[in-house]
Amino acid sequence: MEVKAAVCSGNTEPFTIRNVTLDDLRPDELRIRMVASGICHTDMAVRDQQLPVPLPVVLGHEGAGIVEEVGSNVTSAQPGDRVVMSFNSCGHCPSCDAEAPTYCYDFFPHNWSGTRADGSPTLFADGEPMNGNFFGQSSFATYAIAHDRNVVKVPDSASDIPLERLAPIGCGLMTGAGAVLRSMKVRAGMPIAVFGAGTVGMAAIMAAKIAEANPIIAVDVNDERLALAKELGATHAFNGRDDAPGKIREVCPQGLGYAFDTTGINTVIEQAWSLLAPKGVVGMVGASDPADELNFNEAMFMGGGRTVMGILGGDSDVGPFMLELIGYHLEGRFPFEKLIGYFDFGQINEAIEASESGKVVKPVLRIGNES
Ligand SMILES: NC(=O)c1ccc[n+]([C@@H]2O[C@H](COP(=O)([O-])OP(=O)(O)OC[C@H]3O[C@@H](n4cnc5c(N)ncnc54)[C@H](O)[C@@H]3O)[C@@H](O)[C@H]2O)c1
Ligand SMILES: [Zn+2]
Ligand SMILES: [Zn+2]
């Protein structure tokens, strides 16, 4: 089947929209007609080759759309269903067995190899294989092949919420909220600081409010984002260029229960670590230079029982957690619509530029109509 897809060839040229061919469905796969896709910083991390996904590739991993066709073994959704997509996983490794699929032992082949896990291509261009199956979806396209394990049917309770709004729930929002509610299990009444108030950080701030953390401190270098962070639940907001650590110490003289880094900058992570109270946890999700190292004082680890926690996908178990987040959204406690700026599919390069300049927190591409 011929579809239109945005192809990424690296950071020396813009994404280009071209015709590609979608492979036939396997028994565990679904063909989705895309309605919208969020753009996440991780798409840019691949463009910049911080993640070793082969180029050229069709990216996009926050897709939402309508199921057109399903393979014979699919149980997650049926043709006509409204669905959102997330990351893929194998379903039978020790992490998947423990409902921790973001740490799937075979995460790479199922999400980042450019092919299906068995090495077969899902996309072709001019008769040759094209890298796709990014996060088991490659949603920067008019149609996508997804898998039974990474598709979630939108519940009837959310039938009034447009798919273009729900699209980003499958990565950035899930990651920030899950980091707080699931990975770090933030306790009520405990102080948290969130470094980097992009989509992931803002989701963490909204989730920290749900968890009743206090105070909730946002740190960013963009004052507009800090103002929005306060609207979404931050009790304090400090500019990272203006002695944020000193100000955090003043607010929390006993130290932070939790520090959540979304910047991926090693000096910011080390600063966050230095602010932790005993039993404090620094959670980190940001993409970083593969050569970067972190330095922590050994005695401070053991003496205070502190934890440095790498986090993927906010420890989401996909379906149940996405339904939980949609529930918070319906209750008005997870108002992520305030982060979104919409762009037409053909404006993908403008959307990326708006994200990188800080103008738009969460760009969402409008790819097709719902009906
Ligand atoms: N681990 C995961 O599962 C996972 C999932 C999604 C995204 N990510 C990664 O998380 C990171 C955040 O994603 P995002 O979509 O929110 O990105 P984003 O670019 O929207 O947000 C990053 C924020 O950090 C701020 N920032 C930059 N330098 C800073 C500094 N020195 N101090 C404080 N703030 C600073 C920026 O102004 C920006 O607001 C990215 O690296 C992305 O690749 C990881
Ligand atoms: Zn697995
Ligand atoms: Zn992402």
Side-chain angles (χ1 to χ4, degrees), residues 89-93 96 104-106:
S89 54
C90 81
H92 48 71
C93 70
C96 287
C104 176
Y105 283 30
D106 275 329

Side-chain angles (χ1 to χ4, degrees), residues 181 205-213 216 325 328 333-334:
L181 299 173
I205 288 164
M206 290 185 268
K209 189 171 174 193
I210 291 170
E212 298 176 14
I216 300 170
L325 291 179
Y328 294 138
R333 300 163 78 196
F334 195 51

Side-chain angles (χ1 to χ4, degrees), residues 1-25:
M1 178 180 185
E2 286 281 297
V3 311
K4 289 207 181 309
V7 175
C8 168
S9 303
N11 59 13
T12 54
E13 49 189 295
F15 286 55
T16 50
I17 295 189
R18 54 170 298 183
N19 290 335
V20 300
T21 307
L22 221 55
D23 195 19
D24 293 337
L25 292 184

Side-chain angles (χ1 to χ4, degrees), residues 150-179:
N150 72 331
V151 164
V152 179
K153 183 180 176 216
V154 175
D156 291 344
S157 57
S159 57
D160 289 345
I161 312 267
L163 282 174
E164 63 181 27
R165 189 193 302 169
L166 292 174
I169 208 156
C171 181
L173 296 169
M174 174 188 88
T175 296

Side-chain angles (χ1 to χ4, degrees), residues 40-43 61-62 135 171-172:
C40 168
H41 196 94
T42 304
D43 296 304
H61 61 286
E62 294 184 348
F135 280 91
C171 181

Side-chain angles (χ1 to χ4, degrees), residues 95-106:
S95 287
C96 287
D97 286 348
E99 309 295 333
T102 64
Y103 308 105
C104 176
Y105 283 30
D106 275 329

Side-chain angles (χ1 to χ4, degrees), residues 54-140:
L55 302 175
V57 62
V58 177
L59 298 173
H61 61 286
E62 294 184 348
I66 315 277
V67 179
E68 273 226 338
E69 191 185 336
V70 300
S72 54
N73 292 345
V74 167
T75 58
S76 56
Q78 294 179 352
D81 283 347
R82 305 165 81 230
V83 295
V84 286
M85 289 179 261
S86 192
F87 64 94
N88 197 19
S89 54
C90 81
H92 48 71
C93 70
S95 287
C96 287
D97 286 348
E99 309 295 333
T102 64
Y103 308 105
C104 176
Y105 283 30
D106 275 329
F107 194 87
F108 186 91
H110 282 274
N111 291 281
W112 291 345
S113 60
T115 64
R116 292 187 181 92
D118 68 5
S120 63
T122 54
L123 297 177
F124 298 85
D126 302 326
E128 296 294 318
M130 157 66 80
N131 293 307
N133 202 37
F134 185 56
F135 280 91
Q137 50 178 292
S138 288
S139 58
F140 294 161

